[in-house]
Amino acid sequence: MDRSSLLQLIQEQQLDPENTGFIGADTFAGLVHSHELPLDPAKLDMLVALAQSNERGQVCYQELVDLISSKRSSSFKRAIANGQRSLPREGLLDEPGLGVYKRFVRYVAYEILPCEVDRRWYFYRHRSCPPPVFMASVTLTQIIVFLCYGARLNKWVLQTYHPEYMKSPLVYHPGHRARAWRFLTYMFMHAGLEQLGFNALLQLMIGVPLEMVHGLLRISLLYLAGVLAGSLTVSITDMRAPVVGGSGGVYALCSAHLANVVMNWAGMRCPYKLLRMVLALVCMSSEVGRAVWLRFSPPLPSSGPQPSFMAHLAGAVVGVSMGLTILRSYEERLQDQCGWWVVLLAYGTFLLFAIFWNIFAYDLLGAHIPPPP
């Protein structure tokens, strides 16, 4: 039912004769049953929760329209949260007779969302189309590129030590800063099988569920923001080093998810969350340590500096700032939140600074960068 049809029906039935802006929940529920309106179970639950959050058992007309049209503002979400304790339905864990895919959707809901109302909302509204194509496409492309270069160079570990590796048009190299696409395309190249395996695993285990819940646009924005921040940070802090791998985007996703779990610890229902949190932090720290070791103590002789580790740290910063804002705004408009604009302003300021740095600072500081391959 669209907004105009709902408005017309409410006016015809005179559900708000005094024009107070509120409608009795019982009255509206009777209207739903008498006219056999198609309202899914999740929305019926939330209608009850909205009424229970109001002292008179009424629902604000605008919140009712938002509920029908699947729009949720911050005030709407707060009203739902106030009434969630007495929601009539049991949790999703008690839903019987689910198929394999629906059980997977339920698993994703409990992995990503901290609130039972949000989990139920996602579970009942989820559609398999469109699928989470972004993370799957990025991971598949990275694997294909790695296989092509591995076969071409006949080297599958520590590929960056091969003299032909840095000649790739995808790698970010300080000598090729004018080729702006390299600030993003380096995410398709990897130092070796170990880095590719680590990134691909996290992209599929964390990135795909995040994309299923929050959508392609938000997760692709977060991932690419981490990738871009990674290469720009390297160009400022480690001016002689190249960059390869999608670690900037991966760490943006992982740090955002971990920060969201910590901030909503009591509400998260994923099993063994403390153990998994510790394992995730150990693995991420180990990968950063490996990158630092390869940067400053290369195990093999090389013709130039090895790839920098600063992209990992930049991605993590993007995750805890921009990423956390995105993940805490499930089904809410980002443009309506002050915090989102603060994050965008900070990120935009960093981009402008990095652009001017890359244009002027290398010559002004007399940085001795290795010759481009």
Side-chain angles (χ1 to χ4, degrees):
M1 172 179 290
D2 57 23
R3 178 172 178 163
S4 60
S5 301
L6 177 63
L7 176 61
Q8 181 180 0
L9 182 58
I10 291 176
Q11 289 175 342
E12 290 175 355
Q13 299 295 323
Q14 295 184 345
L15 299 184
D16 185 20
E18 299 179 1
N19 294 321
T20 62
F22 287 85
I23 301 170
D26 295 337
T27 305
F28 181 77
L31 178 69
V32 170
H33 293 298
S34 61
H35 288 75
E36 297 183 350
L37 300 179
L39 200 62
D40 65 55
K43 292 183 178 180
L44 285 173
D45 286 352
M46 292 184 184
L47 174 64
V48 175
L50 283 171
Q52 292 169 344
S53 68
N54 182 275
E55 294 180 355
R56 298 183 179 180
Q58 295 178 321
V59 180
C60 174
Y61 170 73
Q62 184 58 50
E63 290 173 347
L64 177 60
V65 173
D66 289 342
L67 174 63
I68 300 300
S69 58
S70 297
K71 297 177 182 178
R72 303 201 304 173
S73 62
S74 298
S75 60
F76 178 90
K77 190 172 183 180
R78 284 195 296 269
I80 287 292
N82 291 335
Q84 74 180 51
R85 291 185 179 179
S86 51
L87 283 173
R89 288 173 160 253
E90 298 295 333
L92 287 180
L93 288 177
D94 302 316
E95 288 280 350
L98 297 180
V100 175
Y101 182 73
K102 270 299 184 181
R103 286 202 297 269
F104 176 68
V105 172
R106 182 177 61 182
Y107 162 80
V108 169
Y110 275 92
E111 284 290 313
I112 303 301
L113 296 171
C115 174
E116 182 65 28
V117 174
D118 285 342
R119 290 190 282 259
R120 193 178 307 149
W121 175 276
Y122 167 74
F123 180 80
Y124 285 111
R125 290 188 64 246
H126 175 76
R127 300 292 181 270
S128 57
C129 187
V133 294
F134 176 76
M135 293 311 310
S137 300
V138 168
T139 304
L140 180 61
T141 303
Q142 290 171 339
I143 293 174
I144 292 175
V145 170
F146 177 78
L147 292 176
C148 291
Y149 275 90
R152 176 184 172 186
L153 305 177
N154 194 26
K155 191 175 181 64
W156 305 96
V157 178
L158 299 178
Q159 288 184 347
T160 52
Y161 290 91
H162 196 287
E164 297 295 318
Y165 181 86
M166 288 298 173
K167 294 182 179 180
S168 168
L170 302 178
V171 174
Y172 167 79
H173 189 281
H176 290 311
R177 297 189 314 282
R179 302 175 184 180
W181 70 84
R182 290 176 179 254
F183 284 92
L184 284 175
T185 57
Y186 78 92
M187 71 180 185
F188 296 116
M189 303 289 291
H190 286 82
L193 187 60
E194 67 289 347
Q195 185 188 24
L196 173 65
F198 179 80
N199 286 348
L201 184 64
L202 290 181
Q203 286 172 179
L204 295 178
M205 291 183 61
I206 297 180
V208 168
L210 286 176
E211 186 178 348
M212 289 177 64
V213 173
H214 296 281
L216 182 148
L217 290 179
R218 292 188 177 191
I219 297 306
S220 61
L221 172 64
L222 175 58
Y223 185 88
L224 294 177
V227 169
L228 183 58
S231 55
L232 290 175
T233 300
V234 170
S235 70
I236 295 172
T237 61
D238 199 358
M239 299 170 67
R240 301 183 67 249
V243 192
V244 296
S247 298
V250 169
Y251 275 65
L253 296 179
C254 292
S255 59
H257 178 56
L258 294 179
N260 191 42
V261 170
V262 170
M263 294 190 68
N264 298 280
W265 188 262
M268 298 300 294
R269 295 284 300 278
C270 47
Y272 308 109
K273 55 185 176 184
L274 179 59
L275 176 62
R276 294 164 64 182
M277 172 76 70
V278 172
L279 289 177
L281 292 175
V282 168
C283 291
M284 293 172 66
S285 302
S286 300
E287 171 61 18
V288 173
R290 186 193 69 87
V292 173
W293 171 62
L294 291 177
R295 173 68 180 90
F296 294 111
S297 300
L300 297 174
S302 59
S303 57
Q306 288 301 295
S308 177
F309 58 91
M310 290 301 299
H312 300 69
L313 306 182
V317 172
V318 170
V320 238
S321 54
M322 179 185 294
L324 187 57
T325 304
I326 290 176
L327 298 194
R328 296 183 68 185
S329 305
Y330 171 65
E331 288 290 321
E332 296 179 26
R333 289 158 52 92
L334 289 172
Q335 57 266 39
D336 293 340
Q337 302 183 45
C338 179
W340 173 246
W341 294 107
V342 172
V343 169
L344 280 188
L345 178 62
Y347 191 81
T349 303
F350 165 73
L351 288 184
L352 289 176
F353 173 79
I355 290 172
F356 280 99
W357 181 276
N358 277 273
I359 294 175
F360 301 110
Y362 279 75
D363 293 332
L364 292 176
L365 298 176
H368 298 287
I369 60 176

